[in-house]
Amino acid sequence: MSDALVEVRDLKVTFMGGARPVRAVDGVDLTLARGEVMALIGESGSGKSVTLRQLMRLNPERKTHVEGSIRVAGEDVMGLSSARLTHYRGAEAAMIFQEPLLALDPVYTVGAQITEAIRRHERVSKADARARALALFERVRIPSPERRLDAYPHEMSGGMRQRAMIALALACRPKLLLADEPTTALDATVQIQILLLLRELQRDLGLSIVFVTHDLGAAVEVADRIAVMYAGRIVEEGTARDLIRTPRHPYTIGLLKSRAHGALSKGSRLEAIPGSPPDLANLPPGCAFAPRCPLAADACRAAAPPALDVGPGHRARCIRTEDAAGLLMTQAA
Amino acid sequence: MLAYLARRVLYTLPILLGVSLVCFALVHIAPGDPLSSVLPPDASADLQRQLRTLYGFDRSYPEQFAIWIGRALQGDLGASIASGRPVATEVMRAVVNTLRLAVLATAIGFFLGGLFGFVAGYFRNSVVDKLASMLAVLGVSVPHYWLGMVLVIVFSSQLGWLPATGAGPGGSSDWAWDWAHVQHMVLPAVTMSVIPMGIVARTVRALVADILSQDFITGLKAKGLTGFGVFRHVVKNAAPTALAVMGLQLGYLLGGSILIETVFSWPGTGFLLNSAIFQRDLPLLQGTILVLALFFVVLNVVVDVIQSLLDPRVQRS
Ligand SMILES: Nc1ncnc2c1ncn2[C@@H]1O[C@H](COP(=O)(O)OP(=O)(O)O)[C@@H](O)[C@H]1O
Ligand SMILES: [Mg+2]
């Protein structure tokens, strides 16, 4: 047995029901060790949220076709009975969302929403649940926590709401925290506070975190490893350091280049690289990035490249990683 | 909260004044002599003048309005020209009858409409949804007097289960809480309930569909809630709007459906208005409209207050 908490193998998520099936996730492999933080980056529409939601089986099951396997703490998530699933959601894995104002119920107080989650999973009295909610609010450093427990989501500021959302997510002591762009909707200064809070909680509680971000700076700051997604696939994955210093996939290089001379200041965002993302309902047979890739060759368009080791713990889905390294050099000069 | 309530009540005062003014004006703008219908054609000019003075029709309109309002504030709405009885008594009896019917009809309509709406909103585009939507459309589009007559034919004439007309045994309009009286309410209330049912069903379906598509539903599932746990949240989110719609429907039904009350000879406000109009009974007409408008305004305040109590997002400051 490995000490991996999350093991995703060849995950494919296809949305049916539209005019054509949309393959939002197309063969994702993901391994997350206990206590590890992974950042998932990529242009919007590349399947990051769908991947995260699938880890909790939150994609609409009736119109979604899912292949592959997801194991979390040794359990087969796709095969969970509905009773086990409700336990898993909240007590094993929890999720925080981009816009907490929309992700919290507007007509219940945040305190009520936290105690509801606690009492859903554990047999505790209302008073005890409230005491725990209060402790959580203190833990995420919400000022005057007693009073804020009785506030409605719309009565809090964006930063406070996200803290409350984090408190809610941690209410039942999950091992895995999934964070979908937790800071995108916030002001720059608040973003940093929330990131620091997440990192602190992760260390203190030994959490494993997968978090989606647009902010490469944030990814480097917080994550142990970074995975880059493109058109439903992880095209490159490695330690944060390797990925920034020696990116091997032309898409990753494009992402880095599109930032002002690779300066990794916090808060700066990914710029679009030339060309537009592919239509997920109509993917090319080969590498999905080929139409935008400066190095694309016939072989790239013929078949989807496999994930190749390009260094220890560093993999890229590209057959031209040698030349890609050169691509980076010319740009840096 | 108290300040909000006080302000909300204060706001209704100008509305009430406006309503009574419109009420007075509407009735007086209508052409024709109000006394002509009660006086014999060969009445002497002297008698005419006497009656005119008695009812105050010889004064100027502003004077008439001031006197009418002044008395109304003391609960005196004048006397009916046709029957000579105090308008206040007549109106209140009719209002109570209509209120009883309207409350029952709204309750039935709200319950069924809410049920259909929820099922349809939860299982959108399923067979159940189509069925519920069809019922809702039927509810708002079927002519009620026609439905009333069909119900009478089936349940009174054919089956003989329920009385066809009236508000009580032997045509009495006094009320008592026994089966002899309640059975008279069944057919008119069911007929009337079809209107709020359709509207509530449509509203609730749209509400539920919208709520279920919101992000926080995913949030609820992410913390382990399922079925009933999520349902509770949907209900609480839908409640303020659904109750507001119900309150307004009750308000409309209070006006009494003239057609339904006529079909069932129900001694309510619709019935009363109908006869007041045809007999050109001005004091009765004015009084009835005023009381109904008052009810409507008060009901609106109550709905607003309840909604603000239920929905934390409504600004109370
Ligand atoms: N419930 C859904 N039904 C149909 N298509 C969906 C659904 N959820 C996401 N998609 C599609 O999947 C693709 C990936 O979306 P997403 O994972 O949200 O991207 P992002 O990387 O920006 O988070 C998009 O093209 C989106 O339209
Ligand atoms: Mg997303």
Side-chain angles (χ1 to χ4, degrees):
Chain A
M1 281 300 288
S2 65
D3 62 346
L5 180 71
V6 181
E7 282 182 291
V8 176
R9 289 291 163 266
D10 199 24
L11 179 67
K12 291 180 180 152
V13 181
T14 314
F15 292 107
M16 318 302 266
R20 284 170 154 202
V22 171
R23 164 124 341 152
V25 176
D26 190 12
V28 159
D29 291 306
L30 224 157
T31 307
L32 190 69
R34 288 177 197 275
E36 193 175 35
V37 181
M38 173 178 277
L40 209 53
I41 63 173
E43 286 169 319
S44 75
S46 54
K48 307 181 296 292
S49 298
V50 173
T51 306
L52 231 54
R53 281 206 297 271
Q54 196 55 45
L55 281 170
M56 292 190 78
R57 276 175 58 184
L58 285 172
N59 286 313
E61 300 211 326
R62 258 191 288 166
K63 61 168 204 165
T64 316
H65 182 69
V66 183
E67 293 164 73
S69 77
I70 300 173
R71 298 188 79 80
V72 174
E75 259 188 314
D76 172 18
V77 173
M78 293 315 298
L80 288 178
S81 66
S82 54
R84 289 291 304 159
L85 182 63
T86 54
H87 169 78
Y88 169 76
R89 287 174 177 170
E92 300 260 342
M95 191 151 176
I96 58 181
F97 300 86
Q98 175 172 348
E99 181 42 274
L101 183 59
L102 303 177
L104 293 166
D105 185 333
V107 304
Y108 282 83
T109 63
V110 284
Q113 300 188 51
I114 294 176
T115 50
E116 179 185 39
I118 295 172
R119 281 161 61 81
R120 168 77 198 172
H121 293 284
E122 294 166 43
R123 292 184 157 273
V124 292
S125 71
K126 270 198 172 135
D128 288 350
R130 187 173 163 99
R132 258 173 68 183
L134 184 64
L136 284 161
F137 262 33
E138 282 162 358
R139 190 73 189 71
V140 298
R141 285 197 293 280
I142 290 179
S144 36
E146 183 90 43
R147 193 165 53 80
R148 286 273 164 62
L149 277 179
D150 296 321
Y152 290 94
H154 73 276
E155 295 171 334
M156 301 174 110
S157 70
M160 283 309 138
R161 271 200 292 269
Q162 195 56 289
R163 284 173 196 268
M165 185 88 225
I166 293 171
L168 169 62
L170 299 179
C172 298
R173 307 182 182 100
K175 304 179 193 79
L176 173 64
L177 183 64
L178 305 171
D180 194 349
E181 305 196 32
T183 60
T184 306
L186 303 174
D187 295 340
T189 50
V190 183
Q191 288 190 358
I192 296 163
Q193 291 168 7
I194 296 290
L195 284 176
L196 292 176
L197 175 68
L198 277 177
R199 188 163 66 178
E200 176 196 318
L201 290 169
Q202 182 270 328
R203 284 189 186 145
D204 293 357
L205 306 174
L207 285 171
S208 302
I209 300 183
V210 181
F211 86 100
V212 170
T213 180
H214 274 301
D215 185 343
L216 211 52
V220 175
E221 189 83 12
V222 177
D224 302 310
R225 286 194 302 142
I226 297 178
V228 180
M229 264 190 103
Y230 187 80
R233 294 196 184 121
I234 290 180
V235 292
E236 184 165 5
E237 187 203 331
T239 62
R241 185 192 161 94
D242 282 349
L243 214 100
I244 298 303
R245 296 237 176 123
T246 55
R248 287 305 185 81
H249 195 286
Y251 177 64
T252 315
I253 294 168
L255 282 181
L256 290 171
K257 266 174 19 183
S258 65
R259 303 161 52 82
H261 304 291
L264 292 179
S265 59
K266 269 176 288 201
S268 58
R269 291 177 179 242
L270 301 178
E271 304 282 330
I273 37 183
S276 53
D279 175 8
L280 297 178
N282 193 13
L283 283 174
C287 174
F289 186 59
R292 298 166 77 182
C293 182
L295 301 176
D298 287 343
C300 299
R301 296 184 194 95
L308 300 172
D309 285 318
V310 292
H314 188 176
R315 297 153 75 78
R317 275 183 181 272
C318 182
I319 52 176
R320 307 208 52 188
T321 50
E322 303 288 327
D323 307 282
L327 194 68
L328 185 69
M329 298 319 278
T330 56
Q331 285 305 315
Chain B
M1 188 64 219
L2 225 67
Y4 167 77
L5 225 129
R7 195 150 19 82
R8 196 64 191 75
V9 170
L10 214 68
Y11 281 160
T12 59
L13 290 184
I15 298 178
L16 287 177
L17 187 71
V19 160
S20 49
L21 199 67
V22 168
C23 204
F24 178 84
L26 271 181
V27 170
H28 281 83
I29 284 168
D33 185 343
L35 289 179
S36 61
S37 60
V38 283
L39 283 170
D42 55 346
S44 69
D46 216 37
L47 180 61
Q48 281 199 26
R49 209 171 312 115
Q50 216 178 318
L51 267 180
R52 205 169 293 280
T53 320
L54 188 65
Y55 281 99
F57 291 138
D58 56 337
R59 296 169 191 257
S60 70
Y61 284 149
E63 258 182 299
Q64 283 190 40
F65 179 68
I67 292 171
W68 178 61
I69 280 293
R71 288 204 186 129
L73 284 177
Q74 297 161 34
D76 175 12
L77 292 171
S80 158
I81 294 180
S83 69
R85 283 196 290 261
V87 168
T89 325
E90 299 254 303
V91 172
M92 280 330 282
R93 185 185 303 140
V95 163
V96 168
N97 280 332
T98 294
L99 192 63
R100 201 165 348 101
L101 200 59
V103 167
L104 183 62
T106 310
I108 298 173
F110 186 72
F111 176 75
L112 290 180
L115 192 71
F116 290 153
F118 254 100
V119 172
Y122 249 90
F123 304 100
R124 249 163 308 154
N125 302 324
S126 67
V127 181
V128 198
D129 176 22
K130 302 235 164 72
L131 219 73
S133 300
M134 210 175 68
L135 269 172
V137 170
L138 273 180
V140 282
S141 49
V142 158
H144 316 109
Y145 58 90
W146 177 82
L147 179 65
M149 288 191 281
V150 169
L151 288 180
V152 165
I153 290 170
V154 174
F155 291 98
S156 310
S157 310
Q158 303 286 320
L159 296 170
W161 289 353
L162 293 162
T165 58
S172 88
S173 58
D174 297 316
W175 177 250
W177 283 108
D178 55 22
W179 175 239
H181 286 84
V182 169
Q183 62 175 352
H184 279 85
M185 284 173 73
V186 175
L187 288 184
V190 166
T191 309
M192 218 181 212
S193 75
V194 163
I195 313 163
M197 186 199 77
I199 289 170
V200 168
R202 268 200 315 205
T203 311
V204 168
R205 178 188 187 271
L207 266 177
V208 168
D210 174 58
I211 291 167
L212 284 177
S213 74
Q214 284 180 33
D215 285 355
F216 78 83
I217 297 293
T218 311
L220 294 176
K221 289 180 183 159
K223 66 182 188 185
L225 296 188
T226 46
F228 183 72
V230 176
F231 178 75
R232 262 185 55 211
H233 285 260
V234 177
V235 170
K236 193 160 179 195
N237 274 271
T241 314
L243 286 177
V245 169
M246 180 181 92
L248 289 180
Q249 286 306 307
L250 180 63
Y252 293 135
L253 294 191
L254 262 188
S257 164
I258 292 187
L259 292 174
I260 291 179
E261 291 191 355
T262 307
V263 167
F264 291 98
S265 305
W266 186 264
T269 49
F271 206 63
L272 195 65
L273 275 177
N274 195 21
S275 52
I277 290 168
F278 279 107
Q279 297 176 357
R280 292 207 50 80
D281 194 339
L282 280 199
L284 187 60
L285 192 56
Q286 270 179 350
T288 312
I289 297 178
L290 183 71
V291 170
L292 287 179
L294 222 120
F295 260 102
F296 199 79
V297 169
V298 169
L299 200 73
N300 261 304
V301 175
V302 172
V303 165
D304 269 11
V305 169
I306 290 180
Q307 194 171 21
S308 80
L309 283 177
L310 286 178
D311 193 336
R313 287 164 299 183
V314 174
Q315 273 290 340
R316 281 178 218 138
S317 53

